[in-house]
Amino acid sequence: QVQLVESGGGPVQPGESLRLSCAASVSGFRIVAMGWYRQAPGKQRELVATINSDGYTSYEESVEGRFFVSRDYAKRTVSLQMHRLRPEDTAVYYCNVKASRFGRSDEHNYWGQGTQVTVSS
């Protein structure tokens, strides 16, 4: 099946940097895209950044220019490099994978357990 493991979260001060990583273990699936979502207290889960199989990236407006998503296709990992972090970035960050079974074109979403990022003085 599909299993995702995130790492790199933790407490940081405003203006500092942090790097999140996600490793995907798959069997019998083709990964279409990988990315990151986040959920702050009292808010719905929102897109942070994604990267598809062609290397095309997309970002949420408030993080564009500060956050950068990259992918290692051979190792099936996706990373999120975060710079100039703000208190508003505080949230649980979730790794997301869109994948389809071999021989099928329909895609499904898979999620990691989440990693906490807390930005405060």
Side-chain angles (χ1 to χ4, degrees):
Q1 295 297 110
V2 177
Q3 186 177 33
L4 308 177
V5 180
E6 302 116 326
S7 62
V12 296
Q13 295 182 343
E16 294 185 341
S17 299
L18 200 64
R19 185 175 185 270
L20 306 181
S21 296
C22 174
S25 297
V26 300
S27 178
F29 286 83
R30 182 185 78 257
I31 297 177
V32 178
M34 304 182 74
W36 295 90
Y37 287 70
R38 67 184 180 186
Q39 186 169 19
K43 297 184 178 180
Q44 293 186 339
R45 188 175 301 182
E46 67 176 1
L47 170 71
V48 178
T50 61
I51 181 168
N52 67 11
S53 58
D54 295 322
Y56 179 81
T57 59
S58 60
Y59 296 91
E60 193 274 328
E61 184 177 359
S62 69
V63 310
E64 192 165 13
R66 298 188 298 122
F67 291 10
F68 302 91
V69 64
S70 61
R71 177 178 176 180
D72 187 322
Y73 294 90
K75 296 182 179 180
R76 296 184 178 90
T77 61
V78 62
S79 298
L80 183 68
Q81 182 66 53
M82 303 182 291
H83 296 291
R84 302 191 304 279
L85 283 162
R86 308 166 180 170
E88 307 89 85
D89 295 319
T90 296
V92 177
Y93 285 70
Y94 296 90
C95 180
N96 169 259
V97 166
K98 296 184 185 298
S100 61
R101 288 189 176 274
F102 291 122
R104 299 287 298 177
S105 61
D106 52 311
E107 303 171 1
H108 300 274
N109 280 302
Y110 299 89
W111 302 92
Q113 82 286 351
T115 183
Q116 178 71 47
V117 173
T118 303
V119 186
S120 63
S121 300

